[in-house]
Amino acid sequence: MNYRLSQIAAVVGGRLSGTDTEVRSVVTDSRSLSCELGAAPLFVAMRGAHHDSHDFLDEMHRRGVRAFLVERDIEPAEGCGCIVVRNAIEALQRWAAYHRALFRGTVVGITGSNGKTVIKEWIAEELPPAVKCYRSPKSYNSQLGVPLSVLMLEGDEELALFEAGISQPGEMERLERIIRPDAVLFTSLGDAHQEHFAGLEAKALEKMILARSARTILYHSHYQPLAHLIEERFADRTRIDAASFEAPKAELVGSEAACRNAQLVEAFLSAMGYPAPAFTAVPNVAMRLEVKEGINDSILVNDAYNLDLNSLALALDYLHNVALGRPRTLILSEIAQSGLTDEELYGRVATMIRRAGIDFLVGIGPKLRRHAALFDCKKEFYASTGECIARIGRDAVAGRAVLLKGARDYRFERIAHALSRQSHTTVLEVDLDAMTHNLNCFRSKLAFGTRFVAMVKAGSYGTGDFEVAQLLQHQGVDYLAVAFADEGVLLRERGITMPIVVLNADADSFGPMIANRLEPEIYSLHSLEAFAAAVAHAGESRYPIHVKLDTGMHRLGFMEEELDVLCRALDATPEVKVASLFSHLNCADMPEEDDYTRAQIARFDRMSAKLRDALPYPVLRHTANSAAIDRFPEAQFDMCRLGLGLYGFGWKHLDALRPVATLRTRIVQIKHLAAGETVGYGRAGQIERPTVTATVPVGYADGLDRHLGCGRWSMLVAGRPAPIVGRICMDSCMIDITDIAEVREGDEAVIFSAAAGNDLETMARILDTIPYEIMTSVSARVKRIYLKA
């Protein structure tokens, strides 16, 4: 991409002022490294309900940006150019549509409820090596993501693959105008984002808008009513039903859904005239970026998913976000099919890694070694992945944030395995994209300007402390809340700088709290006096506190009759300053208690208003939790607290929420037992037929409740239920895999996930408890892995 600001202004109908500068990349997030990594960046400033990136224009100028697309009049600095438009996203979409119109290769749009990214990457993996193919990064399939991905087209590609995702009516119309696909591949039709559509047919019709001008349409007749509507509405087009292609064996690709995906891949390759795939093994399509603990106290960011300059820039940006003061290592393979000479290609790579703060490069492949002089950091080079694994030194890893970025032929999953901290086979996968999605679901329900407190106590409800806090800090949440000071101190030590409230603050922890700028919940005159004394001892004044009011739960907080005394005490205590007044709605998720909850809200309004009016400075008021955000908009006040809803559990009425956690393990042994044998402690597992059992290394010490034994819970193996046989042991249990074909030792067993019948809400009902208890019971010895698209 190479434009002048004047060209862009003419395309989008904007008004240009200042210098007509060159633009070769686009930046939309002021917090990212993108402006350093891209050449001649254009910063796009947007105004939303809860943010305004125009506030960061001066910062972006200091970081070297000289071209801006904005939604309000500004006076560009010397040497800078600015385009003013009414709506920045609409302008980006118009520019992307123009850029797409200049492209002469084949454009493919991929849409569906699930499987878009899987099929996109699978197609790319099966293409002949000589085919230069562009595909949209990760899951850039939104109203903003699609134009950004289209603008990354270099123009000399033979094939371009774009995902198109929608959540509401009207969205596909805008995406179709940008992508204008020559061919459209429909993956599936399911319940994702169903809440905004009258039914599956309405959603199918919306998705079909993408194929309005396409010459070729690929689909699978398994998915109805989509297939029927395609056959009915597009009778004049080339339509290819992937069901007509022979499906590979299920054991090769993992499930029936994966078989249908494979048929779609084969149908596409046939339609485009490329060789048919072999389907001799499961394709190595790692769909998600993983963040996990590495050896020697390192953080490992595994993005060995695809490798081109665009994806490298995105991965370096993410490494910058998670490193937080750690030195940074990049382990990189050669890059194929860039369209550049090796000198140009690795010169650009060298510039990118210098700007990203990489101080140690591990290069794999002879071309990287030949261009070693371009890299002005500490570096070492290896001829192959195997040589790297055998010889990489401790200095390249220890205490560092390490990014793995390799082309598929280099099999970087072997490096990931070698550098991962080897611990428990059982892992808790935490989907950071789902967490962001949930946060935005609740944000969409807030009035303009309402702030957010996110609950990260108990290790973010079992999902992990720092990684979740780091995400929330990046997402612009206003406060974090922890239960105890030790949790807040740990976050400070890991580099979290945003305000943190401690909900169970006691006198013994006041010193460390003040030293780490943690803000206490004050719930009694005694706690107020003790904390004020600690502040005075530390030589501080006007230290922020959060005053808890008891509106009916009767756990902690000031009663209404104590408010006059509290007002006088606060007036006489200059050591502290009230940052917020808050309470807790203990029945907001119980419709049968709505009268009680409304009385609580009224009581909080009355109590907090009295205190607010008595204070000589403004304070925030908040009482709404996850359920109240949805059910009681009158309880929003100045701020809301998001707890278990952030993690996708606990509030059943918000169907759009996505559970963030999946607990997985692997089969370590398989046994064939005769009828009449027994399994486990106390011979509680009675075998009534010839049975195949599998032992998995997860037990009650890992958080798997003993009451789930003897068939009360089933894990998923190859997508099918495998009931627990006998009692659950401390470190393991046995499952029945008799009716599941082709299971092998090492295969995965899913303990809980978002899958129907295997989700955490269902497990909670069986145990007569709540998801909070199960999540916070997952043992610390279970390794957490963080996934991001």
Side-chain angles (χ1 to χ4, degrees):
M1 179 178 73
N2 195 342
Y3 288 85
R4 308 297 300 190
L5 278 180
S6 56
Q7 293 175 275
I8 300 169
V11 168
V12 304
R15 176 167 48 82
L16 172 64
S17 60
T19 304
D20 188 15
T21 62
E22 182 184 37
V23 172
R24 297 182 61 188
S25 61
V26 181
V27 180
T28 59
D29 189 341
S30 62
R31 299 161 298 185
S32 76
L33 263 184
S34 301
C35 65
E36 284 86 353
L37 297 176
L42 169 77
F43 178 62
V44 181
M46 295 172 281
R47 286 180 287 194
H50 303 285
H51 75 279
D52 186 346
S53 52
H54 293 81
D55 296 340
F56 304 99
L57 293 175
D58 288 343
E59 176 189 335
M60 300 307 286
H61 178 258
R62 288 194 296 272
R63 291 170 60 188
V65 178
R66 296 295 179 265
F68 300 88
L69 179 70
V70 299
E71 296 179 344
R72 67 186 188 203
D73 288 329
I74 64 168
E75 184 65 34
E78 185 177 352
C80 295
C82 175
I83 301 172
V84 181
V85 295
R86 184 185 62 83
N87 184 294
I89 291 183
E90 288 180 4
L92 269 180
Q93 292 174 342
R94 292 178 66 178
W95 180 20
Y98 174 83
H99 189 66
R100 155 64 183 100
L102 300 176
F103 182 65
R104 293 294 172 260
T106 299
V107 174
V108 181
I110 302 175
T111 190
S113 298
N114 297 290
K116 295 184 290 293
T117 306
V118 171
I119 289 177
K120 179 189 68 181
E121 292 303 315
W122 201 339
I123 287 171
E125 183 174 88
E126 297 290 349
L127 290 172
V131 175
K132 185 175 182 184
C133 173
Y134 171 84
R135 73 268 209 194
S136 52
K138 303 294 183 178
S139 52
Y140 270 39
N141 58 30
S142 66
Q143 298 293 302
L144 177 60
V146 167
L148 290 177
S149 61
V150 169
L151 287 168
M152 292 178 188
L153 269 175
E154 294 177 6
D156 62 344
E157 298 90 347
E158 178 179 323
L159 185 68
L161 308 173
F162 295 102
E163 294 182 45
I166 58 168
S167 59
Q168 298 186 58
E171 292 183 338
M172 191 61 85
E173 180 80 27
R174 294 187 288 273
L175 298 185
E176 192 276 338
R177 287 199 297 265
I178 301 168
I179 300 172
R180 288 288 174 178
D182 302 300
V184 171
L185 188 154
F186 292 94
T187 62
S188 65
L189 186 67
D191 292 333
H193 302 298
Q194 188 62 47
E195 64 275 11
H196 297 297
F197 295 94
L200 282 179
E201 182 169 326
K203 184 162 61 176
L205 289 170
E206 177 74 16
K207 291 181 181 295
M208 287 167 56
I209 292 172
L210 184 63
R212 182 166 53 194
S213 303
R215 299 188 302 270
T216 304
I217 300 167
L218 301 105
Y219 65 101
H220 198 296
S221 55
H222 172 82
Y223 299 108
Q224 296 291 352
L226 176 64
H228 172 72
L229 291 169
I230 288 172
E231 292 159 4
E232 180 184 84
R233 304 288 178 102
F234 295 122
D236 60 335
R237 314 288 178 83
T238 300
R239 290 169 290 112
I240 301 173
D241 180 0
S244 64
F245 289 79
E246 184 178 354
K249 293 181 179 179
E251 58 266 24
L252 291 178
V253 292
S255 67
E256 292 181 4
C259 285
R260 291 191 287 274
N261 287 345
Q263 289 174 293
L264 284 162
V265 170
E266 185 172 5
F268 174 82
L269 294 172
S270 174
M272 297 295 120
Y274 297 123
F279 292 137
T280 56
V282 179
N284 178 28
V285 181
M287 298 319 307
R288 309 299 297 278
L289 178 151
E290 292 183 346
V291 182
K292 52 189 174 182
E293 293 180 357
I295 60 174
N296 304 129
D297 190 36
S298 63
I299 294 174
L300 196 62
V301 180
N302 180 16
D303 193 33
Y305 151 87
N306 62 19
L307 179 57
D308 54 34
L309 288 174
N310 288 325
S311 68
L312 177 60
L314 293 170
L316 288 169
D317 186 36
Y318 190 72
L319 180 71
H320 167 73
N321 292 332
V322 301
L324 289 180
R326 288 175 180 257
R328 303 167 196 177
T329 294
L330 170 63
I331 302 180
L332 179 72
S333 79
E334 291 180 351
I335 302 175
Q337 296 182 322
S338 70
L340 304 172
T341 67
D342 288 348
E343 192 76 22
E344 292 172 320
L345 171 63
Y346 294 112
R348 286 177 64 176
V349 171
T351 300
M352 290 168 67
I353 68 172
R354 181 176 67 252
R355 290 174 173 173
I358 300 294
D359 60 353
F360 203 132
L361 170 68
V362 177
I364 300 177
K367 291 181 180 178
L368 274 167
R369 186 191 296 272
R370 283 199 296 272
H371 293 86
L374 295 172
F375 302 98
D376 55 0
C377 59
K378 190 173 182 180
K379 55 207 170 191
E380 52 191 45
F381 297 92
Y382 300 100
S384 67
T385 300
E387 182 186 0
C388 175
I389 293 170
R391 295 181 53 196
I392 190 169
R394 187 177 187 277
D395 290 349
V397 178
R400 291 177 160 269
V402 181
L403 171 62
L404 303 183
K405 197 69 179 142
R408 285 205 182 95
D409 290 347
Y410 284 85
R411 296 188 59 200
F412 265 34
E413 68 273 10
R414 295 163 56 202
I415 301 179
H417 179 75
L419 298 185
S420 297
R421 184 171 68 85
Q422 302 302 314
S423 57
H424 205 344
T425 302
T426 302
V427 299
L428 185 74
E429 288 184 353
V430 180
D431 186 338
L432 297 178
D433 291 318
M435 194 172 293
T436 301
H437 168 85
N438 295 339
L439 174 64
N440 289 333
C441 280
F442 283 100
R443 266 185 172 151
S444 69
K445 295 182 174 292
L446 297 187
F448 183 82
T450 306
R451 304 188 190 193
F452 249 137
V453 183
M455 309 299 291
V456 294
K457 61 182 181 177
S460 301
Y461 295 69
T463 62
D465 39 46
F466 161 71
E467 290 80 5
V468 172
Q470 191 270 339
L471 170 74
L472 295 169
Q473 179 169 274
H474 187 72
Q475 288 295 324
V477 168
D478 299 280
Y479 282 89
L480 300 178
V482 297
F484 300 103
D486 289 348
E487 296 174 317
V489 171
L490 177 62
L491 294 178
R492 287 285 187 250
E493 290 174 347
R494 295 292 301 275
I496 300 300
T497 58
M498 63 185 295
I500 300 175
V501 180
V502 179
L503 298 176
N504 293 80
D506 60 83
D508 290 341
S509 65
F510 286 163
M513 285 180 60
I514 295 168
N516 287 276
R517 302 304 298 177
L518 305 175
E519 303 176 14
E521 170 189 308
I522 298 297
Y523 49 84
S524 67
L525 291 173
H526 175 74
S527 65
L528 175 62
E529 293 166 3
F531 188 74
V535 171
H537 181 74
E540 301 229 21
S541 63
R542 296 175 63 80
Y543 195 98
I545 63 172
H546 300 264
V547 174
K548 179 72 173 287
L549 305 178
D550 187 345
T551 57
M553 186 171 180
H554 302 323
R555 181 171 58 182
L556 293 172
F558 291 92
M559 301 290 284
E560 191 161 11
E561 56 267 25
E562 297 178 283
L563 294 187
D564 289 335
V565 176
L566 175 59
C567 287
R568 291 193 293 273
L570 290 171
D571 186 57
T573 312
E575 293 86 356
V576 301
K577 179 181 180 180
V578 179
S580 80
L581 304 165
F582 73 107
S583 188
H584 187 57
L585 303 178
N586 51 315
C587 297
D589 60 343
M590 301 171 64
E592 66 273 21
E593 295 288 353
D594 280 359
D595 288 344
Y596 165 81
T597 300
R598 290 190 180 94
Q600 270 193 298
I601 296 168
R603 188 177 302 117
F604 172 73
D605 191 14
R606 184 172 64 247
M607 293 173 66
S608 60
K610 181 173 183 176
L611 281 170
R612 178 199 59 195
D613 294 345
L615 293 169
Y617 46 77
V619 297
L620 299 173
R621 299 192 292 166
H622 56 105
T623 193
N625 52 16
S626 300
I629 292 171
D630 184 48
R631 301 192 64 240
F632 297 98
E634 70 272 24
Q636 289 187 15
F637 294 98
D638 305 305
M639 190 156 63
C640 295
R641 294 191 307 278
L642 188 52
L644 200 59
L646 177 64
Y647 307 94
F649 304 110
W651 182 232
K652 60 188 177 184
H653 297 287
L654 274 177
D655 295 331
L657 296 185
R658 291 161 47 185
V660 305
T662 298
L663 189 60
R664 305 179 187 272
T665 189
R666 292 196 176 273
I667 293 169
V668 295
Q669 189 174 26
I670 293 175
K671 292 182 181 295
H672 295 262
L673 304 178
E677 301 224 38
T678 58
V679 176
Y681 283 111
R683 306 184 67 194
Q686 300 290 327
I687 301 299
E688 297 179 355
R689 60 169 182 166
T691 299
V692 183
T693 65
T695 301
V696 291
V698 58
Y700 58 78
D702 303 297
L704 186 63
D705 196 293
R706 289 183 74 247
H707 297 92
L708 295 172
C710 299
R712 295 190 72 198
W713 186 253
S714 294
M715 300 182 192
L716 294 181
V717 177
R720 299 187 61 188
I724 297 173
V725 183
R727 295 176 183 168
I728 293 171
C729 310
M730 179 183 288
D731 308 303
S732 61
C733 65
M734 286 64 75
I735 56 177
D736 185 344
I737 58 170
T738 308
D739 299 323
I740 308 173
E742 304 292 338
V743 180
R744 299 178 180 86
E745 291 177 0
D747 284 358
E748 183 180 82
V750 180
I751 300 152
F752 63 71
S753 69
N758 191 244
D759 58 280
L760 202 63
E761 300 274 7
T762 302
M763 183 184 283
R765 285 195 297 272
I766 289 172
L767 293 171
D768 192 24
T769 185
I770 55 177
Y772 289 79
E773 181 177 352
I774 300 172
M775 286 294 299
T776 57
S777 297
V778 177
S779 169
R781 76 180 187 180
V782 173
K783 181 166 57 177
R784 272 68 172 170
I785 294 179
Y786 299 90
L787 306 179
K788 193 177 191 315

